[in-house]
Amino acid sequence: MRNYHALRTKKDLLSLHLHNKTLWVSVIFAFLTVIVAVISLGMGEMNIHPIDVVKVFLGMGSEQHALIVQQFRLPRIVIAILVGASLAAAGSIMQGIVRNPLAAPDILGISGGASVAAVAFLLWFETSSITWLPPIAFLGATLATLLLYVVAWKKGVTPFRLVLIGVGIKIAASAIVTVLIMFSPFMLQNKAVLWLTGSIYGVDWSDVIMILPWSAGLILLAGLLGRRVNIQHLGDDIAVSVGSRLQIDRFLLLIICAALTGTAVSVGGEISFVALLAPHIAKQIIGPSFGGVLVVSTFIGSIIMLVADLIGRVAFAPVDVPVGVFTSAVGAPFFIYLLYKNRNR
Amino acid sequence: MNALETRQLTLSYGEKNIIESLDLTIPRGKITVFIGSNGCGKSTLLRSLARLLKPKEGAILLDGSSIAKCSTKEVAKRLSILPQGPTAPEGLTVFQLVKQGRYPYQNWLQQWSEEDEKMVNKALEATQLSELAHRPVDSLSGGQRQRAWIAMTLAQGTETILLDEPTTYLDMSHQIEILDLLDELNQTEQRTIIMVLHDLNLACRYAHHIIAVHDQTVYAEGPPEEVMTEELVRTVFDMDCQITLDPLYDTPMCIPYSKNRLANIPRKKAEVI
């Protein structure tokens, strides 16, 4: 079949089926991500031509360029890519298993849960190692997910019920965060507030090392479980009919979704709408099959984050506007459009 | 051996029992049709046979062994069900849908074996969808869409296929098209087909075995010629009718009375009233 490409070893020990269009779309977006990253690396207080940026990576750039690109700017760019990819993957999983285009971890209060846990950790355990932040945020995200699951589930979930309860959890989470910050020392308040606004300002290589294993591992795991997301996308009855262990799979996938959200939140704070936007754009291009959506949406999520971060850094310099502001500016109108489009469901 | 059996099966939603202590056998290699009024529990019964609903009490036996004790993947290789009104995600192509019928045969490493490819192509051919394979399911007509879902269950390659009202929402020609397809599968491949149908006349025409569900149990079962009586229709559907023979197929045909309309036909008035 010309639309697909089958990869097989002898006796079918290993066999894969690849959608040709998904393949080349992935390559194009991977390439785009690199281009945007290179442009972004060159821009800032001191502008460096993209060709000089490339030279730095080839070991042919000047020492000054190398210092700025590799030490000052690269960590932030890598974080933007990782956070964008994690959020996009979390959104792809969520939309697949809930069968609902409005589902995204930030809209449903899962990011909120992660924020509560992370802020509490920052305030109460100020001396603890920051490497604990991802697992702590993951814990908060998981608790919020479980709460959402228990309260909203009633023989499945209707879009509005889910969004209403999710918004409720989100508001409750932000109220708890406010209370936490109010009753903490002034010094720490600044730190928590800055972290909360959804900014990747001032990250360095230690942050990259902190979240890289989580992001990469979880996205890979999500990819391996792709078939299970696809089958759930057809509805519970069909999934059981073809032999899927529905409840176990759904729980596992929700946990992965929560972990990805926690990872992104732990370093970037609450960054809205990337998890909603990226999978939607991917689906428009290559259709709803999960494996492809996961790959393409992680690139798109990365690009959205890179662009939002670039605008935030450069457009209002010397003020560094948090990325969350820009993702919301694009995402909020789109969310309202989706609500309108799905009003009869 | 029978394809499916139930032993003292009780099904319920909450406190209310839908089916009570039912012993039922479904013949292998035949087309079996469940009939009954709305809400009598025939869909519930069908769903429980496919393990979509857990029985409150009793057991369901597939090829003689309890379905609850088999791994769900093993069951999925022997029995498939097409539930009522399934919906595909926006933009999913027919091919991508049918492919997923191969789920029980795949794992992390083997995601597209030659057998998978063969079965999917066969299912697409059987349902005459090869031409439309790369079209989105949501762009197809009602009849084509239903054929796509049937193709998915065919790709699953099971000996027994259950279908919950496969012809609902289809116009008459598409209803016949779907039933002919199932009939052909039964005749050429000896697959056991079990389905819920609302149209009694079509049920009589296509079924080898009819099971009438009423009052939490099976009211009658057997070949259409024996089961379909005026008495049964009166009890099960609370409706008066006349049973005649289908002029084309000689199977029973049910013509319901509707009191008001009948009063306007002078020729019949005298006979009936």
Side-chain angles (χ1 to χ4, degrees), chain A residues 3 8 12 15 99 237, chain B residues 47 87 110-112 117 134:
Chain A
N3 294 341
R8 294 199 185 102
D12 285 341
S15 57
R99 306 187 76 196
D237 285 350
Chain B
R47 288 170 58 81
T87 51
Q110 291 177 320
Q111 306 218 353
W112 189 242
E117 186 166 341
H134 297 290

Side-chain angles (χ1 to χ4, degrees), chain B residues 218-263:
Chain B
V218 166
Y219 176 80
E221 60 172 315
E225 298 74 32
E226 290 172 21
V227 172
M228 194 54 67
T229 61
E230 289 166 17
E231 165 70 22
L232 173 128
V233 176
R234 196 174 301 122
T235 316
V236 173
F237 293 93
D238 192 21
M239 179 179 78
D240 287 320
C241 76
Q242 203 170 7
I243 302 287
T244 62
L245 282 187
D246 184 324
L248 293 176
Y249 292 87
D250 283 348
T251 50
M253 195 163 86
C254 164
I255 302 171
Y257 288 150
S258 40
K259 292 264 154 36
N260 292 340
R261 299 293 297 168
L262 203 59

